[in-house]
Amino acid sequence: MNPVPPAQPGKKLLLFKNKSPTPDASLDALPWQILIVDDDQQVHHLTREVLHGFHFEGRPLYLLYASSAKEAQKLLLDHNNIAVILLDVVMESSHSGLELVRFIREECDNHLLQILLRTGQAGQFPEESVFEQHDINNFLEKSDLTSRRLKTALKSALRAYRDIQELDQMRKQEQELRQTADHANRAKSAFLNMVSHELRTPLQGTKGPFEEFKSQFHLFIGMKKLRNQIDALPSTPHKESLLAALHELHQEVVEIASQGLQAVEHLLGLIEDILDFARIEAGKLSLLPVPCPVTPLVREVWNLIQPLADAKTLRLSYQPESELTILADSKRCKQILLNLLGNAIKFTAQGEIILRVRQQEQMALFEVADSGCGIPADKLETIFHLFEQLDNSLTRRAGGTGLGLPISRELVNKQGGSMYVHSTLGQGSHFFFTLPLAMHSSPPTADGHNP
Ligand SMILES: Nc1ncnc2c1ncn2[C@@H]1O[C@H](COP(=O)(O)OP(=O)(O)OP(=O)(O)O)[C@@H](O)[C@H]1O
Ligand SMILES: [Mg+2]
């Protein structure tokens, strides 16, 4: 059957809701497509009369007609934007309407289309069991279907269709956005990975000459020759001043080499952080948990951070409640401690930094306490986000990139623990993290202060 064109297309199409553009936004400008399926031509005619001039949300109707389920199937395949179907049950067979319902829901997998069953044989098809067995949206009896009831039923069906369609579009958009974001994220991680690896190799190479300058400068041939020549001179004040000048030169070279080495090590540290970040993002961070006694592990960290604390005359103390052994990746555990203790030293001007370790059920609880600048209450969570740093002078002076805490928390989480912070602005901070114990603690032995 030929579709009957809408009664009043045109003018009212300007009344549409102002919506963000979607792939189907153009549909907003189109009439609602309604399919009337009935083998009685009189029903087609009456429906057209009743729905003449009907609008929903400023959009008119576009009526399509079929006299059998077979014809309806064809129309459904040709028109993929039909919103509502007014469907008779008994047509070419006693169940053809219900078979069409199954075709729509199962074969076409169309759950958006609103199916309004309109039957003259309600006795043969009791409403309750039809609803139970078939995925329809409304059940209308022809005998008491007034024009008002039909319009109300159509309105509520179009409202449901519109809502489901919007939800569906939102879900599709969200899925697309997520896919784009995932793709961009993967590209970013791959890029960071590649750049970091490319930078790490040549940088690693520059470490060697700096180290050699620093520790072996006195063995350099030119330096040795000069030293021998001065040594061969008779003892005079001139020889003394030459020796002093040579010593000064040596000191200066060592100092320059140290600075160069420090800069290279800083850059290598940064690259390691970026690589860790890329590994975490790509889900490729692998950990090797083994039983690690805590005190020897802390001792290694202490050797690295004691000079930093000394340089700021900060007291550093280790206070284990008992000798614990954790089940952790020791390299990563040292990295976490280094970052927390390094932060405590960076953000403390005077006072003390304490590392406490105690057992908490099946976990070891580490606490890094400082008497530093503290963290505002509204920033206690954001500092664990990538690249987040506090906007204060200490942070600006300390430099850094804001990668240490997010990476540390991720390393702790991945090992089955958690990390959090308590802090009072102006008084200091307490960073806590837990790691699983490998075995139960032995009685306390340490007297504190030195690991
Ligand atoms: N103990 C602390 N006291 C006060 N502020 C802190 C402390 N630890 C961290 N912060 C704040 O949290 C921010 C984030 O710390 P995070 O370790 O992630 O980065 P960073 O130390 O600035 O740089 P990076 O660790 O990458 O070298 C710091 O910049 C600082 O503002
Ligand atoms: Mg840090």
Side-chain angles (χ1 to χ4, degrees):
M1 277 254 166
N2 286 333
V4 178
Q8 293 179 332
K11 277 189 192 165
K12 286 207 173 178
L13 301 182
L14 294 171
L15 297 174
F16 301 139
K17 285 192 297 178
N18 191 12
K19 284 208 290 180
S20 58
T22 65
D24 282 344
S26 57
L27 290 180
D28 280 2
L30 297 174
W32 303 102
Q33 293 187 12
I34 313 292
L35 174 58
I36 294 146
V37 187
D38 207 301
D39 56 354
D40 184 346
Q41 295 304 306
Q42 189 66 16
V43 173
H44 290 197
H45 180 72
L46 273 174
T47 311
R48 181 163 60 236
E49 291 289 301
V50 168
L51 296 180
H52 179 75
F54 182 100
H55 279 69
F56 178 69
E57 292 197 332
R59 292 164 62 180
L61 302 184
Y62 183 72
L63 303 179
L64 296 140
Y65 299 89
S67 301
S68 65
K70 201 158 177 258
E71 237 179 74
Q73 277 194 11
K74 192 172 173 322
L75 282 173
L76 281 163
L77 294 174
D78 290 347
H79 298 75
N80 54 9
N81 285 315
I82 295 175
V84 179
I85 175 167
L86 283 162
L87 178 61
D88 190 14
V89 181
V90 181
M91 290 179 289
E92 60 262 57
S93 75
S94 60
H95 284 77
S96 52
L98 297 175
E99 275 153 23
L100 188 66
V101 174
R102 197 197 53 76
F103 170 80
I104 293 168
R105 298 300 193 219
E106 292 173 23
E107 282 185 42
C108 303
D109 198 21
N110 185 343
H111 299 273
L112 184 61
L113 174 60
Q114 299 294 298
I115 304 178
L116 274 54
L117 219 56
R118 187 165 58 163
T119 178
Q121 282 88 7
Q124 199 185 331
F125 302 101
E127 182 172 345
E128 231 172 277
S129 65
V130 171
F131 253 112
E132 213 165 274
Q133 290 165 22
H134 303 277
D135 189 1
I136 61 166
N137 302 97
N138 208 340
F139 185 97
L140 309 167
E141 279 185 45
K142 279 182 183 166
S143 56
D144 59 17
L145 188 59
T146 59
S147 77
R148 190 138 53 99
R149 270 210 70 199
L150 177 64
K151 285 180 184 171
T152 312
L154 189 58
K155 237 178 235 172
S156 75
L158 284 172
R159 196 168 288 144
Y161 176 81
R162 175 206 61 197
D163 290 349
I164 302 173
Q165 197 185 35
E166 276 179 6
L167 274 176
D168 207 47
Q169 277 181 9
M170 271 157 61
R171 195 181 47 79
K172 273 191 205 141
Q173 279 176 349
E174 197 190 303
Q175 215 169 14
E176 275 168 24
L177 282 176
R178 201 170 320 124
Q179 272 171 2
T180 316
D182 281 356
H183 186 75
N185 231 2
R186 273 199 302 278
K188 181 186 67 188
S189 301
F191 173 75
L192 285 178
N193 219 342
M194 187 268 289
V195 170
S196 312
H197 274 117
E198 291 300 312
L199 287 174
R200 191 163 59 159
T201 314
L203 258 180
Q204 201 83 40
T206 54
K207 252 176 96 174
F210 279 122
E211 267 162 356
E212 205 160 313
F213 261 120
K214 204 179 137 186
S215 58
Q216 310 287 328
F217 184 62
H218 60 289
L219 296 178
F220 277 40
I221 292 174
M223 177 80 174
K224 255 167 70 182
K225 267 192 196 158
L226 204 56
R227 176 74 206 218
N228 289 343
Q229 282 177 14
I230 296 172
D231 280 344
L233 292 174
S235 260
T236 60
H238 180 59
K239 177 180 176 179
E240 289 311 310
S241 74
L242 280 176
L243 276 175
L246 191 65
H247 181 68
E248 222 171 275
L249 178 69
H250 184 198
Q251 299 288 92
E252 266 178 44
V253 170
V254 168
E255 175 62 19
I256 291 168
S258 299
Q259 283 171 6
L261 196 59
Q262 253 176 32
V264 170
E265 270 165 357
H266 175 77
L267 280 175
L268 279 171
L270 196 63
I271 287 170
E272 278 307 323
D273 277 355
I274 297 172
L275 273 172
D276 276 348
F277 162 66
R279 281 185 201 114
I280 289 170
E281 290 258 303
K284 284 190 182 154
L285 185 90
S286 52
L287 295 156
L288 191 72
V290 290
C292 313
V294 172
T295 298
L297 198 129
V298 171
R299 197 176 295 130
E300 285 182 53
V301 174
W302 231 245
N303 290 337
L304 295 169
I305 55 152
Q306 186 76 59
L308 304 177
D310 289 348
K312 290 182 80 175
T313 60
L314 294 169
R315 282 189 307 282
L316 206 53
S317 118
Y318 172 52
Q319 301 178 359
E321 223 172 60
S322 53
E323 287 301 323
L324 301 176
T325 298
I326 51 173
L327 188 66
D329 183 310
S330 73
K331 180 177 154 225
R332 296 306 191 173
C333 187
K334 279 184 268 179
Q335 182 180 349
I336 299 161
L337 282 169
L338 263 176
N339 184 50
L340 292 189
L341 288 159
N343 279 353
I345 294 170
K346 271 201 293 191
F347 302 112
T348 303
Q350 58 184 34
E352 190 173 23
I353 286 145
I354 306 169
L355 171 62
R356 297 190 182 95
V357 186
R358 57 183 177 274
Q359 183 170 349
Q360 194 180 62
E361 295 174 358
Q362 298 304 304
M363 307 295 271
L365 175 69
F366 293 78
E367 175 187 354
V368 176
D370 66 52
S371 54
C373 62
I375 299 157
D378 63 331
K379 295 284 188 283
L380 290 176
E381 210 27 59
T382 44
I383 53 166
F384 290 100
H385 299 170
L386 285 166
F387 307 112
E388 281 291 342
Q389 296 184 296
L390 297 183
D391 187 18
N392 61 28
S393 58
L394 263 184
T395 304
R396 275 191 295 276
R397 239 180 294 144
T401 25
L403 279 171
L405 285 179
I407 288 174
S408 299
R409 181 182 256 184
E410 192 64 27
L411 291 175
V412 168
N413 289 347
K414 278 227 168 331
Q415 299 187 76
S418 56
M419 181 180 279
Y420 52 95
V421 59
H422 295 164
S423 183
T424 311
L425 204 56
Q427 288 183 27
S429 309
H430 296 246
F431 281 83
F432 298 88
F433 70 93
T434 57
L435 286 173
L437 284 173
M439 54 187 80
H440 286 295
S441 58
S442 53
T445 51
D447 58 353
H449 302 292
N450 278 311

